Amino acid sequence: AGKYTIGISNTVQGNGWREEMICAMKAQALASGEVAKLNIAHRNTDAAGQLEDIRNLISAKVDAIVVNPADPAGIKAGLEEATKAGIVVVAVDQAVTEPSAYIISNNQEQYAYLGAKWLFQQMGGKGEVFYMRGAAGASADSDRDKGFKKALAEFPDVKVAQEVFTGWQQDQAKQQILSFLATGTPINGIWTSGIDNVIVDALVEQQAPMVPVVGADNAGFVGQLNTVKGLVGAAVTNPGSIGGAGVTLALQILDGKKPAQQTVLVNPELWENATDAGKAKLKSAADPSLSPEWPVSISIPDWTTYTKDQIVACKGPGE
Amino acid sequence: MSRFFRNQGWVAGLFALLIFLFVVTKLIQPGYGSGDFGSLARAVLPYAFAVAAQTVVVIAGGIDLSVAAMMALTSVTAASMMNGASEEYALFVVPFVLAMGLVLGALNGILIVVTRVPDIVVTLAMLFVLQGAALLVLGAPGGAAAEWLKASVIGTVPIPGLPDWADAWVPKALVLLVVCLCIIWIPLRRSRLGLSIYAIGSNELAAFRSGVPVARTRIIAYALSGLFAALGGLSLTISTGIGAPIPGPYLLASVAAVVLGGVALGGGKGGLLGPIIAVFVLRLVRTDLTLLAIDPNVTAIIEGAIMVAVVMFGAFITMRSRPAGATP
Amino acid sequence: MTTNPLLDATGVAKNYGAVAALRNASLSVPPGEVHALMGANGAGKSTLVKILTGAIKADAGRILIRGKQLDVRSPADARRAGLLPVYQEPSLIPDLDVLSNLRLTGTPVEPFRAWVRELGIPDLDIRETARNIPLAILRVLDLARALAVEPDVLLLDEMTAALPANLAEKVLEVVRRQGDAGRSVIFISHRFVEISALCDRATVLRDGSTVGVVDIEPGIEERIVEMMLGTRIEKTRVAARAANDVAVAAGGRPRLSVRNLQLGTKLNDVSFDLANGEVVGVFALEGQGQDELFAALAGSIRPTGGTIDVDGAPVKFSHPSDAIQAGIAYVPGDRTEALAMQRSVRENIALPFSAGLRKWGPIRMRREQVVVSGAIGRLQIDTRAQGEVQRLSGGNQQKVTIARWIAANARTILCFDPTRGIDVGTKQEIYKLLRELAGQGKSVLFYTSEMEEVQRVCDRVIVIFGGRVVDTFSVEEADEPALMRAAYGLPRGARADVGILAEVKPASDAEAAS
Amino acid sequence: MTDIATMPRPVSFGRRLKRIMADRPLIPLIILLIILVVILQILRPGIVNERWLANTAKFAIPLAILAGCQTMTMLTGGIDLSVGTVATMSAFIMATQIVNQDPAVAFLLAMLPAMLIGLVNGVGVGVFRVHPLIMTLGTSLIGTGFLQVYQRTVIASGAKIPDFLNWLGTGVTYGFPNALLLFVPVAVLIVFMLNRTGFGRLLYAVGDNERAARLSGVRYWQVITALYVLSSLLAGITGLLYIGLIKAPSLSLAEPLVLPSVAAAVIGGTSIFGGRGGYTGTIIGALILTVLTTLLTILQMPEGGRRILFGFIVLFVTAAYLRIVEDR
Ligand SMILES: Nc1ncnc2c1ncn2[C@@H]1O[C@H](COP(=O)(O)OP(=O)(O)OP(=O)(O)O)[C@@H](O)[C@H]1O
Ligand SMILES: Nc1ncnc2c1ncn2[C@@H]1O[C@H](COP(=O)(O)OP(=O)(O)OP(=O)(O)O)[C@@H](O)[C@H]1O
Ligand SMILES: [Mg+2]
Ligand SMILES: [Mg+2]
């Protein structure tokens, strides 16, 4: 059907968000009708490994590469070589430093800032917050930390009771929150970097006082915001479907429709259950049929054209 | 002759497999050329050093779980030292980082010797320690690498007397790898120290009774491992231009390649050439999988299956070729 | 003592937890002396050698080398001080070839080669990996490696125990010349023949203490045995046809019947029978196919031709468990092959009880305890360090390998040199035991490297040469010259003063007289 | 004790104490555990309460069962790196199949891959003599691949945690976690099996000296195959328990437990070289690691510092334990 071959490089495997991203890429490639074949390099590796994948994709002579960068700067050389070889390069989810690459990305700093600011407001501008970060040393984590610190600076009376790294692992996060609850340290709010539903579970199991919780728009957590009694919280969108948007952008460029700027930022939204308006939004967003680790925002208006069935089926062209 | 095959048969077989894979690659992608080979060499670089690091200690009868963490620490150290520094400063950074690998590797060895805790536990503990240290050096990926260092793995080496098309098949990264490994390995292999490393891996008690200073030899083996890991860390910084505190997938890959390369995990047997060829094989398999656009979820299955199948095959032929008379 | 001793150790003690391996050992050797170190199994001989050569550290004691107190902390130090040991276990590095092993220890190659030839191995391939070399040859290489650096003191721990007669003979010859050349040798052996042929004096250890130093002279053996064991032991001719007691079922089927057994180039057309209640000896020089014969009968390797019948029914063994199922148990000569060293004596003895799939369930501990202690008692195993077999002395380990099959009540036992490294007292016990087993109707195939044992325990002897059975003797005919001739492949009745006969015979006469 | 009386040195109180501890290696381990708990209580007064104890037990139990798999395989000189993948697979399959299937059918489906992987591991190690590290690493890669392929087919159907598993994983009755109902029988069974059954004996014997076991009539492949199947089945059950505890099926659910499970077995005194060790020590080892994790979580320090501390404490604990126990 289509005429293009698109290469995809991703360096985290087995994580719900990333799996959704890959499925969005496949679904979008299929829905666009312009893609003959996807060539996906999807494994757990580092920047050097991603360079290897990108170069393999160059060897495979793809028309465009959509990449979720392991690191903004670390794959610069590979992207440069791709551009030189006449391949369109689009980075999703995170920016890259290579100037020739196009970027369509979630704004990680803004993601953290938005959630943290809402949380601190809920806490009445004072009190202790349990700060549950992602993986130590990951660049998305340090971007989010910037946003969190920015919000913290705006609320001088809010203190971080404890800072932990969950490694974006459910089990680790749960053990951490349980240990922390056992210390009996009073807290007024919990900010999580997307490992959210196990936290609410832990609060419920331990019959601990419910405090406001900020998480991401993962299906599990959104469901909890709608159903768990006494839970006040907010889900900040971090659509994995950005992958589909990346494919769309790449196709546009291949078709000669270059965007005005190299960088397109998708700004996060915040859905809370403290107000009626927010509740309604959450209700409509909830999707219990999705895996609890999958973000519910499975599409991005203007950028993706596939149906829910298509992304859930997770099939690309030719499959 | 038969002894050559008994000793080197596995390496020769691996090499044949590598050649076969190159042919396959060329069939899949007729345009596969010298530039792509250069990419392969660059991809191999960090793995090869990780594998060299693992090989030394495995031959000495140990195992080093801290290889990848050591690479991360040396990589971030190099990247943060070179960040904003002059090009010449890198001339100091490189030896500094190598010395650091050597010393930390020796520390592994010293801890094993002094605490008498099994090496697998000591290096596991050191994995956490080194990872932690890497995080303290750089909390997030960052830093920089000197331009001349980055250039040292890009392009090819003009060899006088060779035609241009042949030069194109001599990527700098490959030359760098071969030179670094040979400078360290060949003199070692020929020295009494090298024999001692094999000896303690083969039978520690017999080695001790043969007058080998077991503790010192073990420490040196780990120090060398640290040195190779530092080279691996440097090559990470050089190829990416940054340092990342989270270790890459080099630990398990190194163990797998060591075994594929014909080095017995019990120690005392094998050499460096086999594991290095194994690294090329494994990287080339990945290239082929990408070229073939195989479903990424299936690639994990294929990589695992290849690993298991090759090792099973090796076990099978050893079982078959065991001379009839020998008591098993 | 007029000359100053080269090596002088006094008051050496070593404890392993509650076990005192050495309490108060002393040893003094002047230059040019071949000095025997004797003692029962577990007396502490090996421990003393290890201490003298820096392989382990003593808890107490004073060691002077050439009158000076040197700091010998490792075998490397000992080597520099001129002390070179050949330990009870081979210490070549298994994965290195012989040449690399030499380089590792800084041994000059040419003298080594010369010694190897001298010691009776004309065609050693120096690039061969040590792992592929038979144990007996390895022991000789170990010795050659020590000799090549011309040490002042050579310490040989049961050097000859694993050697066939032809190699042992060469070793004795070479060692004697060392003494003549002014070097000292400390020589550990349980074989009096060797001691009397070779040594000038002997230090006797009992329970970790030196109980006496004697000059070797004819008739001294009894005194030494007395000192070693604390009591006098009866040296009986156990082989006094105990088989007569049980009327071997006349015309009954043989227990084991081997016909035309073939194994590659190693075994050729081997045929013999083993009856119930019979002990059949196998005598051979090193490497004549006896290892393969035993391995084939034990199910460890598959023969390439011929048949094996058990109780008249043909069998094919593909795994030792098949042989065990048929009631045939194998006791290898090398105990490290047979023992789980970190496990207890009890578990080692009870190991065959759990082997079959059907026996994987719960163990009846009390019954096991009874059976195991019965076997321990019968072999008089010194169980002071029974928590781990590796802490037993070499001889006691050897006993455990036999005790296992006594406990399992095996009907046929293939013993490959079972008295290797066992002291005289225990040897007598083992001979008695084998005869008793035969008396109970069991059958034993018994390979030995000591001719004397043939006469002590066997009913018949088969001699193997070049993979063939060259002769069969009844015990009455099996005198040493006859055996030796056959072992060298000479036809019966041929007159030749071959090999060891000329050398050792007087000594063995002396022993027989005692 | 006449032997002691003849010892050249007088027996000090310290030596006697050491001897007592050496004879009962559990005592020093328990003391180390108590020390950690006391430190925790000092750092955060009041933390050691009933609820904390229950939570610690909840997290220690899955770790302890997986460490049981490692203990058993390590006794034979092996290691089972596939337990993480197996546990994850059973958990994920259970959570997704329960949606449309009868619980019993879902359970069988969940245990099926565990059984298969165990069998493949067993045959690879026992028959083909592939090194266990490589074999289990390979099957775990293959398993992960299959899981990802499988995951795509069930995205649409969603996931659910069965109430029973939820109750088992998180529930507490009279202050005791319900998970003990699973763990106590499993632990008793493992301990009994290792000490009082023929199979247990064979694990030790095979790990200590395979040739000796063979000469005693043991068929190596039978023991090893049974062992790896057993290990995998235990890992599968752990997966079910773990999903009840975490309540979020992910594709890497139990992977983070793999290295700690090895560490717990080693801290508990099991030798990675085979033939030596036991399960009771392993249980304490798992508790020590769990308490240590808590301790580090509540410490206010940079993440890098935490990891460094973790590494050194693990090393120190193992070294101290060895020091006390050795030379008995
Ligand atoms: N590592 C050890 N741990 C505990 N006990 C030991 C250890 N090594 C030796 N022993 C004990 O020390 C004693 C002396 O052992 P040694 O090996 O020196 O005897 P030996 O005289 O050489 O005997 P053999 O003739 O049987 O070889 C024995 O009782 C043995 O059990
Ligand atoms: N677990 C055990 N503990 C103690 N002794 C045992 C044990 N198992 C076997 N034995 C002893 O070992 C000897 C041989 O037992 P084994 O079980 O091999 O016999 P078997 O020929 O297989 O008999 P069966 O057909 O009854 O199983 C017997 O004397 C028996 O008492
Ligand atoms: Mg001895
Ligand atoms: Mg002897």
Side-chain angles (χ1 to χ4, degrees), chain C residues 398-415:
Chain C
Q398 192 78 26
K399 291 190 209 171
V400 174
T401 63
I402 302 175
R404 171 184 293 165
W405 298 113
I406 304 291
N409 209 4
R411 273 188 61 200
T412 301
I413 301 188
L414 312 172
C415 284

Side-chain angles (χ1 to χ4, degrees), chain D residues 51-67:
Chain D
R51 203 194 253 183
W52 176 82
L53 285 173
N55 284 337
T56 303
K58 275 188 215 164
F59 278 91
I61 285 170
L63 179 61
I65 304 183
L66 289 189

Side-chain angles (χ1 to χ4, degrees), chain D:
Chain D
M1 292 271 103
T2 46
D3 274 341
I4 295 178
T6 59
M7 277 169 45
R9 275 173 304 166
V11 190
S12 67
F13 174 72
R15 263 192 83 81
R16 275 224 304 277
L17 191 70
K18 203 181 144 181
R19 173 99 26 94
I20 291 172
M21 301 233 261
D23 287 341
R24 309 207 176 290
L26 275 191
I27 296 180
L29 268 186
I30 293 175
I31 292 177
L32 284 171
L33 176 62
I34 292 174
I35 292 176
L36 280 179
V37 175
V38 168
I39 295 177
L40 188 62
Q41 173 71 12
I42 292 172
L43 287 177
R44 279 294 169 94
I47 181 171
V48 181
N49 53 32
E50 193 179 292
R51 203 194 253 183
W52 176 82
L53 285 173
N55 284 337
T56 303
K58 275 188 215 164
F59 278 91
I61 285 170
L63 179 61
I65 304 183
L66 289 189
C69 300
Q70 303 300 356
T71 305
M72 290 188 296
T73 44
M74 275 161 60
L75 286 178
T76 66
I79 194 165
D80 191 348
L81 294 184
S82 66
V83 289
T85 303
V86 169
T88 307
M89 284 178 98
S90 348
F92 196 86
I93 294 175
M94 186 72 180
T96 48
Q97 288 298 327
I98 196 80
V99 181
N100 316 317
Q101 300 278 6
D102 187 65
V105 176
F107 174 75
L108 288 180
L109 284 175
M111 296 309 285
L112 192 70
M115 176 85 198
L116 275 178
I117 289 188
L119 203 61
V120 174
N121 282 341
V123 171
V125 177
V127 179
F128 288 91
R129 306 299 179 115
V130 179
H131 195 285
L133 195 88
I134 291 299
M135 191 65 216
T136 54
L137 189 64
T139 48
S140 113
L141 270 181
I142 297 174
T144 309
F146 275 113
L147 189 58
Q148 280 175 353
V149 173
Y150 167 80
Q151 173 234 199
R152 283 213 323 252
T153 68
V154 293
I155 289 171
S157 56
K160 189 178 134 222
I161 312 301
D163 291 339
F164 171 70
L165 292 184
N166 193 355
W167 176 84
L168 193 65
T170 58
V172 174
T173 313
Y174 303 120
F176 289 99
N178 298 339
L180 284 173
L181 283 179
L182 175 70
F183 179 67
V184 171
V186 165
V188 169
L189 220 71
I190 295 181
V191 171
F192 179 80
M193 189 197 80
L194 289 182
N195 294 320
R196 292 292 171 92
T197 70
F199 182 63
R201 285 277 177 82
L202 295 189
L203 293 185
Y204 286 99
V206 155
D208 191 312
N209 187 344
E210 191 203 316
R211 292 175 77 173
R214 185 179 142 89
L215 284 182
S216 299
V218 179
R219 287 182 191 265
Y220 180 77
W221 71 267
Q222 289 179 343
V223 179
I224 294 299
T225 309
L227 166 68
Y228 281 90
V229 169
L230 179 66
S231 168
S232 260
L233 289 179
L234 268 181
I237 291 181
T238 313
L240 300 187
L241 177 67
Y242 207 49
I243 189 72
L245 174 60
I246 303 299
K247 294 200 274 191
S250 89
L251 294 184
S252 56
L253 180 73
E255 295 295 348
L257 292 183
V258 177
L259 282 185
S261 73
V262 176
V266 176
I267 290 178
T270 299
S271 158
I272 48 157
F273 306 115
R276 197 195 281 265
Y279 188 51
T280 30
T282 302
I283 299 174
I284 315 267
L287 279 168
I288 289 181
L289 280 183
T290 312
V291 173
L292 190 54
T293 311
T294 310
L295 184 65
L296 291 177
T297 302
I298 63 154
L299 276 183
Q300 296 280 14
M301 59 160 64
E303 180 65 14
R306 267 186 211 143
R307 293 202 190 166
I308 293 179
L309 205 58
F310 180 82
F312 277 130
I313 292 178
V314 166
L315 186 58
F316 174 80
V317 166
T318 320
Y321 175 64
L322 278 186
R323 226 359 81 73
I324 292 167
V325 171
E326 76 190 358
D327 272 348
R328 46 179 108 167

Side-chain angles (χ1 to χ4, degrees), chain A residues 80-99:
Chain A
E80 198 179 318
E81 288 163 34
T83 311
K84 277 214 192 92
I87 298 171
V88 171
V89 177
V90 174
V92 297
D93 189 28
Q94 250 189 96
V96 290
T97 57
E98 167 58 29

